[in-house]
Amino acid sequence: MSARAHRLGRTLLKCNFSYGTVRFQSASATPLARQLNAKIQVAGPLTVADYMKEVLVNPTAGYYPTKEAIGAKGDFVTSPEINQLFGEMIAVWILSEWQKVGAPKPMQLVEFGPGKGTLMSDILRVFNHFKIDGVSVHLVELSQKMRESQAKLLCSEATLGKNEEHQLQVVSGTTSTDYPISWHNHHSEVPRDAFSCIVAHEFFDALPVHKLRKTAEGWREILVDIDTESKDIKFRYILSREPTPISQLYTPKDCDTREDIEICPSAGALMQSLAQRFEEDGGFLLLADYGHDGDKTDTFRGFSDHQLHDPLLNPGSADLTADVDFSYLKRSVEEKALTFGPVTQEKFLNSLGIQVRLNILLQNDGLSAEQKAILKSGVEMMTDASKMGERFKFFSMFPNVLGEHLGKYPVLGF
Ligand SMILES: C[S@@+](CC[C@H](N)C(=O)[O-])C[C@H]1O[C@@H](n2cnc3c(N)ncnc32)[C@H](O)[C@@H]1O
């Protein structure tokens, strides 16, 4: 079984300085390639962030709204899909941290980018087991296709409403554990005035990154343009001749020796908005993703059919992702909130007792030898340093007001 994080490779940057455009349409191009071709012809090259956003979430032709992304038949596999123990450990972490601050109710259990809904389903099974009440579930998900999978797995009933484009969307319902559940397009739509426990697994890596390169004239932004040398619709990277707002605002410090950087302003803005929410209404964030501490240069890549894929090829047909820069997330909320981590997935899951839970399950006579072998290899896949244990990291954020309390009762797993 493969996971996206195992397949990090450098994308080839073909930079030149022409802004030429072409006027033909290719029958073999993806619907999104045709849309992007038209957009660039009218408005000029796109930032890599605008390109990535269109590819991932364009409502009619983007990757998540149209493709079967996750699972053996999709393009990549994530930890919650490997094994139920992953979600159970996350549930134990949430309940432990929530109880530590007095189990405030009502509690909003929020997930960003819930994929097939498997992680939330495993969390809710644990909540149900401990008979936790006063909970509402909130899923931040743009893709209607994904919302449908989530509703199918999680709900005893779900209702439809219309989005801004007047398309029908899953909007609310009741979970099979009897909690009210609602879907939101954006984190700011999750209701205020209640304590929020927020989980984001492989969500931040899908937020759009800008790419900057150091040149003799200063930092310049890498853009996506149409490849005029090709007969078909093809895209290529070019370097902006002039500074852009992003290259002016996000210039790295002089001590940073990198020649290429990726910057994700929407991740920074999200962290700041959550810090504000936690300060005013209470709550915490648990984030799990692959990432680095501000030392990587070029991690923007595509995945299709469990293989690396050129991000500029057939847009909308493959997943796009970039490693999360944890040092940037920390800097974004400096003095506004407390952050912990990143720690490796191996350390986090082991300190939550995944091996103990595995051993209990392995003693269950109701499970076949094959089921036990699958459970064992799943835990190994998630925790072994050479597999997903080292590359995947956990990171958390709490409001400043809990500083003294968390000094006495440290955050589990960090
Ligand atoms: C890589 S998948 C991760 C799914 C799930 N968390 C898991 O680990 O299996 C990314 C998820 O985020 C959603 N997504 C991506 N960009 C989003 C955005 N800007 N707003 C809301 N959801 C988004 C996708 O539709 C998908 O459900």
Side-chain angles (χ1 to χ4, degrees), residues 4 57 64 70 76 78 80 113-115 140-142 146 201-203:
R4 287 191 298 176
V57 298
Y64 282 113
I70 306 167
F76 57 90
T78 59
V140 177
E141 175 61 72
L142 274 174
M146 287 289 184
H201 182 261
E202 289 209 38
F203 171 78

Side-chain angles (χ1 to χ4, degrees), residues 281-333:
D281 304 332
F284 49 73
L285 164 75
L286 181 67
L287 185 170
D289 226 309
Y290 34 80
H292 59 93
D293 246 334
D295 51 355
K296 290 262 181 80
T297 56
D298 176 21
T299 71
F300 178 54
R301 58 202 187 277
F303 278 90
S304 177
D305 200 13
H306 305 266
Q307 304 291 327
L308 268 176
H309 177 96
D310 177 351
L312 298 193
L313 196 64
N314 301 327
S317 70
D319 183 32
L320 298 186
T321 173
D323 280 17
V324 174
D325 179 349
F326 290 108
S327 67
Y328 171 64
L329 298 190
K330 275 189 262 185
R331 275 201 312 280
S332 312
V333 291

Side-chain angles (χ1 to χ4, degrees), residues 28 37 65 92 96 114 121 124 142 163 208 214 237 280 299 307 316 355 360 412:
S28 63
N37 182 54
V92 167
S96 152
S121 162
L124 291 181
L142 274 174
N163 66 8
K214 196 187 262 173
Y237 295 109
E280 288 167 13
T299 71
Q307 304 291 327
Q355 305 295 345
I360 292 170
L412 202 58

Side-chain angles (χ1 to χ4, degrees), residues 222-237:
I222 291 168
L223 305 173
V224 175
D225 196 6
I226 298 162
D227 184 350
T228 47
E229 282 161 28
S230 165
K231 282 215 295 340
D232 298 318
I233 294 178
K234 270 182 88 182
F235 300 96
R236 64 173 175 178
Y237 295 109

